[in-house]
Amino acid sequence: MVRAGLTPERLIRAGAELADEVGFDQVTVSAVARRFDVKVASLYSHLKNSQDLKTKIALLALEELADRAAEALAGRAGKDALTAFANVYRDYAREHPGRYAAAQTRLDPQTAAASAGVRHAQMTRAILRGYRLTEPDQTHAVRMLGSVFHGYVSLEMGGGFSHSAPDTEETWARVLDALDALLRNWPAP
C-alpha cells in the first residue's frame, strides 16, 4: 500500500532540502523516511535505493539551474551574458549548497544525455558563439568556464577567501572581466 501523500516528487524535493541542510553525501532513503515519519520500506515503491534518490536530486538540481540560467540569459549577449550565467551558478551554490553538490554528480551516459545538463552545454555554447569561438575552441572554453566557476564557488564556500582583503565580490568581478578579455582575444592554436 502506498502511503497517502508520498510521491516521487515530494520525496525528491525533501531529499534536495535535506541535502541543502546536511550535505549531499548525507542524503539517504532512511533520512528522507525520517522526515516523513514513515518506515523506509514505504518509500521503496517510489525510489529504488539511496543512489536512485541522489541521481534524482542531481537531475532536479540540473533542471533548476538550467531554468534559472535560461531566464538570466534571455536577451543578453557577450560579457553581459557571461556575467549573468556565472552569477546564476554562484548564487545557486550559495542558496542550495547540497543541490549544487548534487549537480556535480557523474551520471551514466544515457541519464546525462536525457538531463538538463544538455541545456547547460547549449547555453554555454550560445554564449561562446557571441565571442565567435568555433570548435574545438568552444569545447576548450566550455571546460575552462566550468572549471573557473566551480573552482571559485567551491573555494569561496569552503572559506578559502575569507581570511584576506579584498572582498570576494571584487575578486569575482575581476575574474569575470578576465574571462571576458580572454574570450574576446582567444589565442589561435
Side-chain angles (χ1 to χ4, degrees):
M1 178 175 142
V2 176
R3 185 169 175 117
L6 292 183
T7 64
E9 293 77 22
R10 276 191 76 202
L11 297 173
I12 294 162
R13 287 237 170 250
E17 291 167 9
L18 183 64
D20 289 338
E21 293 166 15
V22 302
F24 182 61
D25 291 339
Q26 302 303 312
V27 174
T28 63
V29 173
S30 297
V32 172
R34 283 191 295 277
R35 279 219 146 159
F36 287 97
D37 195 27
V38 298
K39 294 184 185 209
V40 174
S42 63
L43 302 188
Y44 286 123
S45 62
H46 302 293
L47 300 165
K48 295 176 192 169
N49 51 38
S50 291
Q51 187 56 50
D52 181 46
L53 173 62
K54 286 183 171 188
T55 298
K56 289 177 177 170
I57 294 168
L59 294 172
L60 171 68
L62 288 169
E63 189 73 35
E64 288 176 343
L65 264 167
D67 289 346
R68 285 186 182 199
E71 185 176 322
L73 287 173
R76 298 177 190 255
K79 184 179 179 203
D80 192 33
L82 176 68
T83 299
F85 193 66
N87 286 336
V88 163
Y89 281 86
R90 186 174 181 224
D91 293 346
Y92 189 82
R94 289 169 154 180
E95 293 169 34
H96 300 290
R99 293 178 207 204
Y100 179 78
Q104 310 311 311
T105 300
R106 183 182 183 128
L107 301 171
D108 67 76
Q110 184 177 357
T111 303
S115 78
V118 174
R119 288 176 53 207
H120 293 266
Q122 290 169 338
M123 286 184 276
T124 307
R125 288 176 185 281
I127 292 167
L128 295 172
R129 282 192 300 274
Y131 287 97
R132 295 190 172 99
L133 291 184
T134 58
E135 284 301 341
D137 290 332
Q138 269 190 15
T139 297
H140 298 312
V142 166
R143 292 172 180 167
M144 178 192 68
L145 292 176
S147 298
V148 171
F149 298 163
H150 180 66
Y152 191 93
V153 165
S154 297
L155 289 168
E156 182 180 38
M157 288 177 55
F161 303 142
S162 62
H163 307 300
S164 62
D167 181 71
T168 58
E169 294 301 322
E170 183 180 337
T171 305
W172 181 245
R174 299 279 305 265
V175 166
L176 297 177
D177 287 344
L179 288 172
D180 175 62
L182 175 63
L183 292 170
R184 280 187 283 111
N185 299 294
W186 191 262

